[in-house]
């Protein structure tokens, strides 16, 4: 949401939750992914570093105590399948470093 406010403040052409989606498959099921924003024609997803392993793969950082090891591993593989969909469709992924730059801009504009 910070990205939305800053970009709007700076006059960028931005759409929150654009009406664009992409299909991806995981475990023989179809899923739909919706990017967070479209900024000046570029599709953008905002994801903090907690969603990425050191090797760059995406996973679910939030495990419930009721999930079995197999269920949790399956969920993490689904997150990575979604990540691969983002990559395959040229989605710009803003991670913590990029998000922090937006926070710096926000603080300067006050």
């Amino acid at each position: 949401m910070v990205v939305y406010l800053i970009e709007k403040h700076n006059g960028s052409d931005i759409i929150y939750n654009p009406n664009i989606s992409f299909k991806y498959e995981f475990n023989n099921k179809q899923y739909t992914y919706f990017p967070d924003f479209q900024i000046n024609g570029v599709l953008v997803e905002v994801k903090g570093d907690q969603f990425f392993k050191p090797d760059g793969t995406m996973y679910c950082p939030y495990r419930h105590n009721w999930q079995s090891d197999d269920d949790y591993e399956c969920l993490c593989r689904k997150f990575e399948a979604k990540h691969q969909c983002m990559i395959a469709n040229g989605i710009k992924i803003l991670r913590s470093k990029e998000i922090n730059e937006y926070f710096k801009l926000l603080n300067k504009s006050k």
Side-chain angles (χ1 to χ4, degrees), residues 3 33-39 42-48 52 58 82 86 91-95 99:
V3 173
Y33 158 68
F34 299 89
D36 291 331
F37 298 97
Q38 185 175 10
I39 303 172
V42 177
L43 294 172
V44 176
E45 180 74 18
V46 177
K47 284 285 181 232
F52 295 90
M58 199 169 151
K82 179 179 174 180
M86 292 177 208
I91 308 301
K92 179 179 174 98
I93 302 170
L94 296 181
R95 293 182 53 181
I99 294 167

Side-chain angles (χ1 to χ4, degrees), residues 38-39 61 63 66 72 76 79 90 97 101:
Q38 185 175 10
I39 303 172
R63 181 176 179 173
W66 51 263
Y72 178 67
C76 290
F79 271 56
K97 181 180 177 183
E101 292 301 315

Side-chain angles (χ1 to χ4, degrees), residues 15-85:
I15 301 167
Y16 177 64
N17 285 334
N19 192 21
I20 298 171
S21 64
F22 300 94
K23 300 288 185 194
Y24 68 99
E25 187 174 311
F26 176 72
N27 277 356
N28 298 317
K29 291 183 183 177
Q30 287 282 320
Y31 294 92
T32 305
Y33 158 68
F34 299 89
D36 291 331
F37 298 97
Q38 185 175 10
I39 303 172
N40 295 330
V42 177
L43 294 172
V44 176
E45 180 74 18
V46 177
K47 284 285 181 232
D49 288 340
Q50 73 270 23
F51 288 95
F52 295 90
K53 295 180 182 180
D55 67 3
T57 58
M58 199 169 151
Y59 79 114
C60 178
Y62 309 110
R63 181 176 179 173
H64 298 284
N65 59 2
W66 51 263
Q67 288 177 306
S68 70
D69 289 346
D70 287 342
D71 288 342
Y72 178 67
E73 178 58 32
C74 184
L75 178 62
C76 290
R77 286 184 289 134
K78 183 180 175 189
F79 271 56
E80 179 56 20
K82 179 179 174 180
H83 180 223
Q84 291 304 312
C85 175

